[in-house]
Amino acid sequence: MTQIWQTAVSDVDTKKISVLDRILIGRSAAMQQLKQVLSVVAPTEAPVMVQGETGVGKELVCEALHKASGRSGDLVAVNCAAIPADLLESELFGHEKGAFTGADQRRIGRIEQAQGGTLFLDEIGDMPLALQAKLLRVLETRRIQRVGGRGEIDVDFRLVTATHRALASDAEAGRFRSDLYFRINVFPVSVPSLSQRTDDIPLILEAMIGRQQDRNPDAMPPHFNQGALRALSAHSWPGNVRELRNMFERAAVLFAGRVVTAEAVQNVLLPSQGMTSVPAEPVTMQPTIIAGDDQDAIRTILEAEGSVDMRSYLRDIEERLIDAALRKNGGCVSQAARTLRLQRTTLIEKMKKLSITREAVMMN
Ligand SMILES: Nc1ncnc2c1ncn2[C@@H]1O[C@H](COP(=O)(O)OP(=O)(O)OP(=O)(O)O)[C@@H](O)[C@H]1O
């Protein structure tokens, strides 16, 4: 940390740190440094660009930043890569009734919804160039015009962005507007990868067990012994905390109420070295690949245990797919249903049955 930063963070607000601690689990040096930086920048209006590998917790950092900001409005998240380019403008800016075929009523866009709060533009590197120009204008004038609207509306929101792309090189190559890049990259924040903070794994697992018990107080959590924790620390975690969460969800089904050993980690929970096959977004994979991945684990567990609770296993897979589809589509149930190739009503029924709400999914 530079001298300037040391001076800035020496006076951090402990209340803000505790808000950040509740959301961002981890006491490693890398996480503590990140939380100190966030506590300084949270109450300001500076646009923040969150950088980091896939699954590292960029969206969670945005949530933490919003909660610690003291802003009274909502946190509104838009995944620019998940919304078709031709719909993104009206999603962000809203539209007036009759603005285009199918616009049978006025719709308030996400930017207006973030009034007084925080607008999180995830995967901003995937935003079409024409829309980038419109966003730049909003950031400069703090006004928007709904699609098909005449008047301008004042907007007050804090912008947080994230991307998996190398935006600086995209800007140099003309794939991303460099003026917008400089406007949004006022405060870059880098989230450390899980392999840089393996000390945090036990705490994160503890939090996951706590969350599982909140959801289902009768669930018997798996217990990771010291050997298992050492095996988890030695793993390379290319999918970061999302990969850890997926591993935990397997453990919760396959080792409910039982001890997880190093052997179980290596042979069942993280069977291939490096685990490069772990999906960043399980929902984007073909069903046969999901089945293939889990098949090895199921075969091993059947050999070791003689049985597996099929209903609970299938329920877990359904929950994971619905969770991932809702996240991928920014909480929109109709789009999530399309992603899962289900009728909207079927998805709603399944969500009710599994006690999944889009609000809970988007908050986690
Ligand atoms: N420090 C943490 N403590 C607890 N859970 C975490 C932490 N960091 C990430 N997670 C969990 O890991 C999962 C992935 O996090 P998130 O979606 O924020 O990652 P991301 O960096 O935005 O991923 P992507 O680049 O793919 O969009 C989420 O379930 C999140 O709750």
Side-chain angles (χ1 to χ4, degrees), residues 139-194:
L139 297 177
E140 274 164 2
T141 62
R142 293 274 147 192
R143 293 170 145 237
I144 62 156
Q145 197 167 36
R146 295 187 192 127
V147 176
R150 295 236 174 89
E152 293 209 310
I153 301 158
D154 289 333
V155 282
D156 161 29
F157 62 90
R158 202 277 180 81
L159 182 68
V160 180
T161 54
T163 177
H164 68 283
R165 297 168 75 120
L167 221 49
S169 1
D170 278 3
E172 256 173 45
R175 287 188 296 272
F176 193 86
R177 286 187 70 112
S178 49
D179 43 9
L180 179 61
Y181 173 69
F182 290 116
R183 200 79 174 69
I184 61 179
N185 193 29
V186 175
F187 207 100
V189 165
S190 179
V191 187
S193 63
L194 188 59

Side-chain angles (χ1 to χ4, degrees), residues 105-349:
Q105 50 184 314
R106 167 188 281 177
R107 185 171 187 281
I108 303 297
R110 301 294 187 109
I111 297 178
E112 264 183 275
Q113 288 170 20
Q115 193 73 268
T118 304
L119 178 69
F120 176 47
L121 295 182
D122 201 358
E123 302 300 0
I124 192 167
D126 293 8
M127 182 179 275
L129 279 164
L131 199 50
Q132 290 176 26
K134 292 188 178 164
L135 177 64
L136 179 65
R137 189 170 171 274
V138 175
L139 297 177
E140 274 164 2
T141 62
R142 293 274 147 192
R143 293 170 145 237
I144 62 156
Q145 197 167 36
R146 295 187 192 127
V147 176
R150 295 236 174 89
E152 293 209 310
I153 301 158
D154 289 333
V155 282
D156 161 29
F157 62 90
R158 202 277 180 81
L159 182 68
V160 180
T161 54
T163 177
H164 68 283
R165 297 168 75 120
L167 221 49
S169 1
D170 278 3
E172 256 173 45
R175 287 188 296 272
F176 193 86
R177 286 187 70 112
S178 49
D179 43 9
L180 179 61
Y181 173 69
F182 290 116
R183 200 79 174 69
I184 61 179
N185 193 29
V186 175
F187 207 100
V189 165
S190 179
V191 187
S193 63
L194 188 59
S195 59
Q196 289 174 284
R197 49 178 163 119
T198 51
D199 295 2
D200 289 336
I201 290 175
L203 263 188
I204 299 177
L205 287 176
E206 216 176 274
M208 288 175 180
I209 290 173
R211 218 169 287 154
Q212 183 200 19
Q213 289 189 311
D214 288 346
R215 274 202 308 259
N216 178 7
D218 298 330
M220 303 275 280
H223 172 75
F224 293 82
N225 73 12
Q226 288 304 315
L229 294 176
R230 272 195 298 277
L232 292 173
S233 278
H235 183 64
S236 58
W237 300 111
N240 292 290
V241 187
R242 181 179 292 115
E243 183 185 350
L244 181 64
R245 189 190 70 188
N246 290 347
M247 184 286 305
F248 173 76
E249 285 174 1
R250 278 185 229 213
V253 174
L254 300 174
F255 293 90
R258 292 190 299 126
V259 174
V260 180
T261 59
E263 216 175 25
V265 168
Q266 282 148 359
N267 299 335
V268 181
L269 298 172
L270 296 175
S272 52
Q273 198 41 22
M275 205 65 184
T276 47
S277 61
V278 165
E281 287 286 351
V283 76
T284 59
M285 297 183 65
Q286 291 305 309
T288 48
I289 300 176
I290 294 176
D293 248 357
D294 282 349
Q295 214 157 345
D296 285 346
I298 293 166
R299 215 174 283 132
T300 317
I301 196 81
L302 280 180
E303 271 160 28
E305 296 293 319
S307 71
V308 68
D309 181 344
M310 188 170 98
R311 261 181 300 218
S312 144
Y313 194 86
L314 292 177
R315 182 188 160 103
D316 176 63
I317 290 179
E318 278 196 342
E319 270 178 13
R320 280 199 271 158
L321 282 170
I322 294 172
D323 185 280
L326 284 168
R327 281 169 202 275
K328 180 181 161 79
N329 292 292
C332 173
V333 175
S334 315
Q335 283 172 13
R338 268 197 293 279
T339 301
L340 296 169
R341 299 187 207 150
L342 291 176
Q343 293 288 334
R344 189 173 153 275
T345 46
T346 311
L347 177 58
I348 291 172
E349 251 168 52

Side-chain angles (χ1 to χ4, degrees), residues 25 31 53-60 241-242 245 364:
I25 312 295
M31 279 307 272
E53 293 172 11
T54 182
V56 87
K58 296 186 291 296
E59 191 165 348
L60 210 59
V241 187
R242 181 179 292 115
R245 189 190 70 188
N364 277 321

